Amino acid sequence: MTAEDKALLKAQVEEILLIQGNQFIKELLRENSLPIGSTKKDFLTNIANAIDEETLTREMIEAWLKQVEGWGNQHLYLFEPPEITPQDAREAISQSEFSPLIEQGFDYEFHDDLQLANIELGEEGISLVWQQGREGWNRAREKDISPQQEGLEFYKYEAYRQRLDRSTVRFEWRFADPFVAVLIHRSKEIDHSTAIDHVWQEVSALGLSAARTARISLSRAVKSASDGDVETKSTRFGTDDGHVEMVSNLASGGINDVAAVRQARRGLNVDDFPRAEGAFVMNKESFNLSRDLSIKVMGSIGHVAIWAQCKRDDIYTVLDNLMALNAEDEKE
């Protein structure tokens, strides 16, 4: 790697690290047996040194990014899979106008508009990644300059710190799954309806599906979870004419840890309610996650919100558990 290549890679990585959680940056360093440190300044120094010494390569950084960039702090929408075989899907993408993006690698440049940046095309599934970048400014009062006189005029300077937001939208299809997922990073700059339309338009252009497939309802999963071992912070069962809502106010514990609410839940015939939504905590140890995750499920529209940055495997663990809960009544 030339000195110019190293300088470019360090600049690209620095921009990414400014918005990544410390837990995941430490993991990059730890997994590659590099010094860690305790602050982002330490991380940046150690990563820069490792790039200079070529003990941390672009390939190693991209493998890490695939696990952490654009996973968590997002909204997920579940749809029926396209009616196309995996082999035909791979061939369609390979023959499409987007074929140059296949396994192109991570795009460090996020454009102003949502753009398809990378296609992962494997034996087990397809991953499509769109990226969008935005510049913002956060008030930084500690950098303000007190009023100063220049001639007969007084001036006051208020400071703002530049913020570079990187947003990711994904279309994820593991061929063995009974669903595909559209994942939208939590950002005020992204309108969900517009983003979903955009994703399905390009899925169609790739030759995977002529039209958007049907949403998958997760109301059954909410009903099953609220009467099971998942910590349920709140749940709402609805009909066209009304709803029943149950809430736990416990700092640690769900509705089933509140005796009166637990009895009310078990006395309720949830089959009388076509719609259900709920807020849950999935415990790190119980579900083999990288961290505890708070999730909200809006069952009737197949919408899952995850309010913490996490890893790719965590997302699939959440979805696999929800889909298993969604199928429980079918097995009975």
Side-chain angles (χ1 to χ4, degrees):
M1 189 185 301
T2 67
E4 185 178 340
D5 289 337
K6 290 177 180 178
L8 175 61
L9 182 57
K10 284 189 281 188
Q12 292 170 333
V13 170
E14 181 174 353
E15 183 177 322
I16 293 168
L17 295 191
L18 289 175
I19 61 170
Q20 279 294 338
N22 287 355
Q23 171 188 349
F24 301 105
I25 301 172
K26 288 180 180 178
E27 193 168 298
L28 168 66
L29 294 162
R30 186 180 296 111
E31 286 182 351
N32 293 288
S33 303
L34 299 171
I36 298 174
S38 57
T39 67
K40 271 209 165 87
K41 184 178 179 180
D42 294 336
F43 304 154
L44 287 168
T45 298
N46 293 334
I47 286 173
N49 291 338
I51 290 173
D52 283 335
E53 296 167 5
E54 299 191 15
T55 53
L56 185 64
T57 65
R58 183 178 293 274
E59 290 73 23
M60 295 158 70
I61 293 169
E62 290 187 359
W64 168 73
L65 282 172
K66 285 183 180 180
Q67 281 293 320
V68 302
E69 178 87 316
W71 300 101
N73 272 333
Q74 64 194 175
H75 300 265
L76 301 86
Y77 297 87
L78 301 189
F79 297 85
E80 298 283 351
E83 293 183 0
I84 185 173
T85 67
Q87 180 60 33
D88 288 344
R90 285 191 287 266
E91 290 181 5
I93 292 175
S94 298
Q95 295 171 10
S96 75
E97 62 180 298
F98 297 103
S99 59
L101 298 177
I102 297 173
E103 308 302 338
Q104 177 173 280
F106 202 87
D107 188 352
Y108 292 85
E109 299 298 327
F110 278 41
H111 302 280
D112 290 342
D113 299 322
L114 200 62
Q115 291 191 16
L116 185 58
N118 185 39
I119 298 173
E120 295 178 31
L121 193 57
E123 290 298 318
E124 296 183 355
I126 293 169
S127 177
L128 310 177
V129 183
W130 289 262
Q131 296 172 337
Q132 176 176 292
R134 283 287 190 274
E135 177 187 73
W137 294 88
N138 290 341
R139 189 75 169 86
R141 298 181 186 279
E142 70 280 5
K143 296 292 185 180
D144 285 353
I145 298 177
S146 300
Q148 298 180 357
Q149 185 174 4
E150 295 183 18
L152 298 178
E153 304 289 346
F154 281 86
Y155 295 89
K156 181 175 71 172
Y157 298 91
E158 295 182 346
Y160 292 81
R161 181 181 295 109
Q162 185 187 43
R163 185 188 73 250
L164 298 175
D165 295 326
R166 298 159 57 89
S167 298
T168 302
V169 173
R170 295 177 179 273
F171 177 89
E172 295 288 318
W173 180 18
R174 294 188 308 187
F175 297 135
D177 289 336
F179 65 88
V180 296
V182 175
L183 290 68
I184 301 176
H185 188 251
R186 184 166 60 170
S187 169
K188 294 179 181 178
E189 303 293 340
I190 299 180
D191 176 78
H192 289 203
S193 179
T194 301
I196 291 172
D197 287 345
H198 184 85
V199 166
W200 280 103
Q201 286 168 7
E202 297 202 340
V203 165
S204 178
L206 285 162
L208 300 183
S209 180
R212 181 186 311 193
T213 60
R215 289 277 184 93
I216 293 176
S217 171
L218 292 173
S219 289
R220 187 183 300 114
V222 173
K223 296 173 184 178
S224 300
S226 67
D227 195 31
D229 297 327
V230 183
E231 183 180 322
T232 305
K233 304 303 292 186
S234 67
T235 190
R236 177 185 174 114
F237 304 108
T239 69
D240 291 339
D241 301 317
H243 70 270
V244 173
E245 189 167 5
M246 300 180 184
V247 178
S248 166
N249 293 322
L250 297 173
S252 178
I255 61 173
N256 288 313
D257 297 300
V258 183
V261 179
R262 180 174 65 248
Q263 292 175 10
R265 166 63 185 90
R266 293 180 177 173
L268 190 70
N269 183 3
V270 295
D271 291 334
D272 292 337
F273 300 87
R275 296 185 297 277
E277 61 185 67
F280 308 92
V281 174
M282 295 184 70
N283 180 270
K284 172 181 176 180
E285 287 75 21
S286 300
F287 293 94
N288 193 28
L289 299 165
S290 67
R291 64 187 303 173
D292 293 346
L293 290 178
S294 295
I295 68 172
K296 184 173 182 180
V297 182
M298 284 139 279
S300 60
I301 60 173
H303 176 196
V304 182
I306 298 181
W307 302 137
Q309 187 179 12
C310 57
K311 300 176 68 175
R312 180 177 191 155
D313 291 345
D314 295 329
I315 297 296
Y316 273 113
T317 295
V318 170
L319 293 180
D320 289 343
N321 275 277
L322 286 175
M323 292 303 293
L325 288 167
N326 216 39
E328 281 193 357
D329 288 354
E330 296 176 354
K331 296 176 183 177
E332 296 176 358

